[in-house]
Amino acid sequence: MKVRGAYVDGWEMSALHPGPPVRDPWAADGIWVEGIAPMTLPTEQVVEMTGIVSAARPHAVSGKGHLGQWPAELCVSSVRRLQE
C-alpha cells in the first residue's frame, strides 16, 4: 500500500500524519511507522511511503506501535520525499 503524509520522528516516535503541519504528533489520526532508521528524515517531511499496513483489532485492549496507542502500523519497504 502507498500512503502520503508528514513523517514525524523523535524520542519514542515514528509516525505518519496528515499534513503538514502536524499539530499533535501523538494524535490518533496518525499511523505508526516501522522499518526506517530513526532521524533519517527532517521532522514533518512530506513523503510517500510504500509498505504493509496492519490495523489494530476493533475494541482491542491495545493498538499498534509505541505503547499500543496507534490505530494502525505501516511496515515500510520504500520512502520517497515529495517536497523539501
Side-chain angles (χ1 to χ4, degrees), residues 6-57:
Y7 178 71
V8 179
D9 74 340
W11 189 68
E12 297 185 344
M13 167 68 65
S14 179
L16 191 66
H17 288 272
V22 175
R23 292 190 182 8
D24 179 3
W26 293 99
D29 63 349
I31 62 171
W32 187 256
V33 174
E34 288 285 339
I36 64 173
M39 309 296 182
T40 57
L41 296 168
T43 192
E44 295 195 32
Q45 171 70 53
V46 178
V47 295
E48 177 181 84
M49 293 184 170
T50 303
I52 298 170
V53 174
S54 61
R57 287 184 281 172

Side-chain angles (χ1 to χ4, degrees), residues 57-77:
R57 287 184 281 172
H59 311 295
V61 174
S62 66
K64 299 290 186 174
H66 181 64
L67 298 176
Q69 65 189 29
W70 300 89
E73 176 179 276
L74 174 66
C75 184
V76 176
S77 59

